Amino acid sequence: MEHVPALDEDLKKTLGPATAKVLAEQLGLHTALDLLHHYPRKYAERGELTALTELADQLDEHVTVVAQVADARILTFNGGRGKRLEVTITDGNGRLQLVFFGAGVHKPHKELLPGTRAMFAGKVGMFNRKLQLSHPAYEPLGADASDQDAATAFAGRLIPIYPACAKMESWKIAKCVDAVLPSARETVDPLPPALREGRGLVPLTEALLKIHRPATKADVEDARQRLKWDEAFVLQIALARRRRADSQLPAVPRRPAPGGLLDAFDAKLPFTLTEGQQTVSKEIFDDLATEHPMHRLLQGEVGSGKTMVALRAMLAVVDCGGQAAMLAPTEVLAQQHHRSITEMMGELAEGGMLGGSDQGTKVVLLTGSMGMPARRKALLDLVTGEAGIVIGTHALIEDKVQFHDLGLVVVDEQHRFGVEQRDALRSKGKQPPHLLVMTATPIPRTVAMTVFGDLETSVLDQLPAGRSPIATHVVPAKDKPHFLARAWERVREEVGKGHQAYVVCPRIGDEEAADPKKKSAEADGDKRPPLAVLDIADELRAGPLAGLSVEVLHGRMDPADKDDVMRRFAAGEVKVLVATTVIEVGVNVPNSTVMVIMDADRFGVSQLHQLRGRVGRGSAPGLCLLVSEMHEASPARARLAAVAATLDGFELSRIDLEQRREGDVLGQAQSGVRSSLRMLAVIDDEEVIAQAREEATRVVADDPELERLPGLKLALDALLDTEREQYLEKG
């Protein structure tokens, strides 16, 4: 966390090149400081054996267990030429078999005598329907250990179990930590002394010693509380400084003009805005009227009418002479937004055109795949100010794109854009434009505080009138194949009533051409490859959906073909669309009433919720069928059951977070950086995060440059190296 020479030294010097190489490549640990922040994930006690009964959920995972040898026997095979040692270990509740083969049987046969207690590490496998560890590494404990020093060290002490890997067992990591632990005394404490003392937190050095070598459970608790505070506080300081810097920027106030474009649009709306839409619109209009740039996050349930709120904000900016840009993550979504916005605006979207309204403006589309003449025309409309609204993909960020007066940037699905892209678009205004970020992934309050901590948050949780409920069911394709047959019958029934259907698959199906290595790796694994769009579409056309118009949509299609398929699907010509997750956000075809998600267990909870939101958008009820071959007792099926049980996105996002590692939540997947949150759990530590945010805001207001807090400044610099800066912004 802090830059201190001894702590920043490469581990090669302390541990030797071979060990350092494994730690760096397998666990991403390069310095003594990295290793000090590689915390044990749990502790085993001498009097308490690790639960072997929990291993069924960890098939193919690398585990460390502490257990006692119940019996050991050597068996022969191949007419006595082959030898196998089978050792049964127990923890008092469950039993587990260990197997050793060939020349490798003699040492464990001597050492693993009945009654011996040891740590065992290996990959959980299955043989003859029984769990086993094959050739596990092991370390005897206690009186039976050959090394008396090790026995003394373990006596009466909690045994740290570290996140490990096949090439580096937990106890080897413990020995590496022992080698660098003395340098913990050199760490610089980032917390202001008054804050630390006021909250009764132990000093950082003490916390590091206690987390790695606790004498009691109370030591572990003291250390965790302290280390959680470090992570929460340093992160909130970074966000508080960003909020402060943003609030110092100048911006042009954009107040809607009475009797202008916004009023004309509102007057032709065929429905009344929901109370939520009105409240959120007021928050946005208040922000737009200030002399500092708005930085607001608009989160709304799938189908809650976020686009309507964003469009009204864009019209307000156009009313007072500015331009608004909407940035979408995919061409399909940009085209969809362009279509729906021009339809909603009608003649108001045809400013300067024959038959257009006098109060209207031009709404242009700009994507990477547009032909040169259309692109040139769109660029000209932007630079002259003729186009008040532009909707586009990353193409909007290119240097060639110039605006007459960019006043508002709306970013749809924030998690698809990095900070560089957001800032590149912002820099196109004469002064920083206002920023509205939209997401349909519901985010619990603490995650919003952590990931989007530089943005004010508005929430739309009411669905507009006329939206229909969506029924969701799990289809266990392996246990009950007739359920899958019934699913396809339901699709035919809905199409028979004049409706349409989506079928979603995790893979396109032309990957073998793109990456033969990946294909063969999948084939070598135990798991079959995920189901593919191209294969399933062929099967449906030839089988259960024969005679219906079935088309495919995926990311590697030519953009013109994609747009053509979407147009024909929206027009009702295509009855069944077999697609990848390109349809996950923003696609709006109210006539679609049923969605079948193949291999649903391969998608995350939030993603399934997003996908499901594509149906039930009209007056007819929606149906979502989650097809899975996973066993009923598996965690994957529990996840699917949770999705089927509720339509509340916030409840699902909590479940999602509880089941995933925090690093994934905080953008690790997007930035390729290991999350800086090793101890803090954004769901469980709501109070710590909220308090850290308050303290951070106070500290930054009092000392923006942290001149009086050098330890905190060091910690912040370490967090905000280039990669972390991106990670912070990815969300």
Side-chain angles (χ1 to χ4, degrees), residues 84-130:
R84 181 169 86 240
L85 170 65
E86 288 185 357
V87 179
T88 305
I89 58 172
T90 177
D91 63 357
N93 294 319
R95 292 165 87 80
L96 179 68
Q97 192 167 66
L98 318 176
V99 289
F100 301 85
F101 295 97
V105 304
H106 302 297
K107 187 169 181 277
H109 193 218
K110 276 189 208 149
E111 292 179 343
L112 298 178
L113 302 171
T116 305
R117 293 186 71 258
M119 287 196 283
F120 302 92
K123 195 172 173 185
V124 181
M126 181 79 81
F127 181 71
N128 278 347
R129 296 189 151 187
K130 278 188 177 171

Side-chain angles (χ1 to χ4, degrees), residues 292-613:
H292 302 296
M294 164 172 81
H295 293 99
R296 188 165 284 279
L297 168 69
L298 170 57
Q299 23 171 344
E301 272 287 16
V302 180
S304 57
K306 292 183 300 301
T307 311
M308 173 61 70
V309 169
L311 175 55
R312 294 182 74 246
M314 293 196 284
L315 295 175
V317 168
V318 175
D319 261 350
C320 48
Q323 289 169 295
M326 183 183 246
L327 192 54
T330 64
E331 292 209 351
V332 168
L333 189 51
Q335 287 160 345
Q336 180 77 34
H337 276 317
H338 182 253
R339 252 198 305 278
S340 64
I341 283 174
T342 48
E343 279 168 18
M344 282 195 272
M345 287 176 65
E347 74 280 4
L348 296 174
E350 296 165 358
M353 293 192 243
L354 206 61
S357 162
D358 294 343
Q359 289 169 307
T361 186
K362 254 192 198 174
V363 179
V364 300
L365 176 69
L366 189 62
T367 64
S369 65
M370 282 168 71
M372 214 49 224
R375 189 179 171 76
R376 211 173 275 129
K377 179 83 181 82
L379 291 172
L380 187 65
D381 285 342
L382 285 180
V383 78
T384 58
E386 189 100 343
I389 294 175
V390 59
I391 295 149
T393 54
H394 296 72
L396 282 178
I397 298 165
E398 291 171 11
D399 292 342
K400 290 192 206 79
V401 181
Q402 299 296 324
F403 290 85
H404 177 65
D405 178 16
L406 182 60
L408 170 67
V409 174
V410 178
V411 179
D412 194 16
E413 290 307 318
Q414 153 73 5
H415 61 280
R416 311 282 180 101
F417 288 103
V419 61
E420 322 81 28
Q421 293 150 319
R422 206 165 86 175
D423 285 348
L425 193 50
R426 258 190 199 162
S427 67
K428 291 185 178 294
K430 295 188 177 72
Q431 286 195 337
H434 298 279
L435 176 72
L436 179 65
V437 167
M438 301 198 296
T439 178
T441 309
I443 305 165
R445 176 172 159 264
T446 40
V447 183
M449 259 193 259
T450 311
V451 183
F452 297 107
D454 60 333
L455 303 172
E456 298 300 324
T457 305
S458 295
V459 178
L460 268 181
D461 48 12
Q462 263 178 310
L463 290 188
R467 277 293 158 86
S468 303
I470 305 168
T472 309
H473 302 286
V474 179
V475 177
K478 207 169 193 172
D479 311 344
K480 298 176 179 168
H482 60 285
F483 275 39
L484 182 58
R486 175 71 189 121
W488 300 128
E489 282 173 22
R490 285 291 289 117
V491 170
R492 289 197 87 96
E493 286 165 16
E494 287 299 309
V495 172
K497 292 178 194 167
H499 299 306
Q500 291 158 276
Y502 296 101
V503 177
V504 181
C505 301
R507 202 164 59 98
I508 296 172
D510 59 359
E511 290 85 352
E512 36 285 51
D515 190 354
K517 277 187 205 155
K518 191 172 168 191
K519 176 83 171 130
S520 61
E522 270 177 341
D524 293 343
D526 301 337
K527 247 182 164 180
R528 64 159 171 75
L531 294 172
V533 166
L534 300 177
D535 302 340
I536 292 292
D538 287 345
E539 284 173 30
L540 293 176
R541 286 187 193 114
L545 303 185
L548 301 183
S549 58
V550 177
E551 295 272 359
V552 300
L553 181 72
H554 59 75
R556 279 211 283 274
M557 284 166 65
D558 179 83
D561 293 343
K562 269 194 280 196
D563 197 36
D564 176 56
V565 170
M566 267 320 295
R567 271 180 198 286
R568 289 189 295 116
F569 187 62
E573 293 165 32
V574 173
K575 298 303 179 190
V576 180
L577 188 64
V578 184
T580 55
T581 54
V582 290
I583 60 146
E584 180 186 345
V585 284
V587 173
N588 183 24
V589 180
N591 193 41
S592 302
T593 54
V594 60
M595 175 178 284
V596 182
I597 303 179
M598 308 302 291
D599 278 347
D601 47 89
R602 305 225 184 202
F603 300 97
V605 170
S606 294
Q607 200 172 24
L608 290 170
H609 182 58
Q610 285 278 333
L611 286 165
R612 166 172 66 183

Side-chain angles (χ1 to χ4, degrees), residues 30 80 202 256 386 390 407 477 487 532 614:
H30 304 275
V202 300
E386 189 100 343
V390 59
R614 302 300 111 216

Side-chain angles (χ1 to χ4, degrees), residues 667-674 723:
Q668 180 180 359
Q670 278 88 4
S671 65
V673 179
R674 279 166 58 252
E723 289 187 309

